[in-house]
Amino acid sequence: FDAPENTLAAFDLAWAKGSDGVEGDFYLTRDEQIVCIHDRGTKRTTGFEKSVEDSTLAELRQLEYGSWKGEKWKGEKIPTLKDVFKSVPKGGLFVIELKSKAKIVPFLASQLKSLGTGKIRLLIISFDKATVAACHAQIPEVRTHWLTSFKKDKENGADHPSAEEIAKVVNESGAAGVGMNGNRQVIDE
């Protein structure tokens, strides 16, 4: 909240304030680079519309990602996974939300292997069941959680996914856990 989201300035500020972990959103670019940005496009945070997945890292780095939050953040560039990884202090938690579906997983696996992950804690999260399954298969040493939200069925008022549906996805994907908004109307003991 205090700095422009998904930028090194935001992550550095979180660590400076004593956070024990950070979470970033990651897409695969056209030239197979992994970049940290929440939206599929750059319009909201740069003022210029570019599709992240259809752009190269060089094209995305030409844009400025901080001044929308305030003048003091002007000049922020889109960080790569490696940039964010290197900002994590020893023992810190780095939560990697994958937005590009399963196609990003081989590139993530390769980068994590080359970065040496032993000094920090990692968690991968995704709303996509196939992405979770791919992470479980290709990066089994890192916990992966499936993310979901709940919707009410307009006809019968039931919440979906149900506990049974959640369990099925966990079993089929190999997820180590589930993130589900902590909705106490749906989730109980």
Side-chain angles (χ1 to χ4, degrees):
F1 180 81
D2 293 334
E5 65 189 53
N6 284 290
T7 62
L8 289 179
F11 297 126
D12 290 343
L13 184 58
W15 300 123
K17 288 186 170 204
S19 177
D20 63 349
V22 295
E23 182 266 351
D25 305 291
F26 294 89
Y27 286 91
L28 188 66
T29 64
R30 188 176 80 228
D31 58 343
E32 300 174 342
Q33 300 298 307
I34 302 174
V35 294
C36 187
I37 185 170
H38 180 270
D39 301 350
R40 287 190 174 285
T42 59
K43 180 75 171 170
R44 181 175 61 87
T45 56
T46 71
F48 297 94
E49 184 57 59
K50 283 193 174 291
S51 164
V52 175
E53 292 181 326
D54 294 333
S55 300
T56 65
L57 176 60
E59 291 167 341
L60 294 170
R61 285 249 166 113
Q62 291 174 1
L63 303 175
E64 189 277 324
Y65 294 80
S67 60
W68 69 270
K69 187 71 173 173
E71 189 62 28
K72 80 185 230 177
W73 308 110
K74 187 174 184 177
E76 283 294 317
K77 297 295 181 192
I78 192 169
T80 63
L81 175 83
K82 187 182 287 187
D83 295 331
V84 180
F85 184 93
K86 289 180 176 181
S87 78
V88 180
K90 183 177 180 181
L93 173 64
F94 180 19
V95 180
I96 301 167
E97 182 173 345
L98 298 180
K99 301 276 199 148
S100 282
K101 309 255 180 182
K103 68 184 176 185
I104 197 172
V105 176
F107 302 97
L108 176 64
S110 175
Q111 283 198 26
L112 291 178
K113 185 176 181 180
S114 72
L115 290 167
T117 59
K119 295 181 180 177
I120 67 171
R121 297 174 293 136
L122 290 170
L123 174 64
I124 301 169
I125 60 176
S126 177
F127 282 94
D128 182 62
K129 175 180 141 184
T131 302
V132 172
C135 288
H136 179 67
Q138 297 175 46
I139 319 170
E141 66 279 8
V142 178
R143 291 177 308 129
T144 304
H145 289 187
W146 176 61
L147 303 178
T148 188
S149 58
F150 295 97
K151 295 189 168 99
K152 280 223 181 277
D153 185 300
K154 291 180 181 177
E155 292 180 21
N156 65 18
D159 291 297
H160 289 284
S162 66
E164 293 79 17
E165 291 166 327
I166 292 169
K168 182 177 181 197
V169 170
V170 168
N171 287 329
E172 290 175 353
S173 68
V178 181
M180 55 184 101
N181 297 341
N183 184 332
R184 292 184 187 267
Q185 286 79 29
V186 179
I187 302 304
D188 59 19
E189 297 82 29

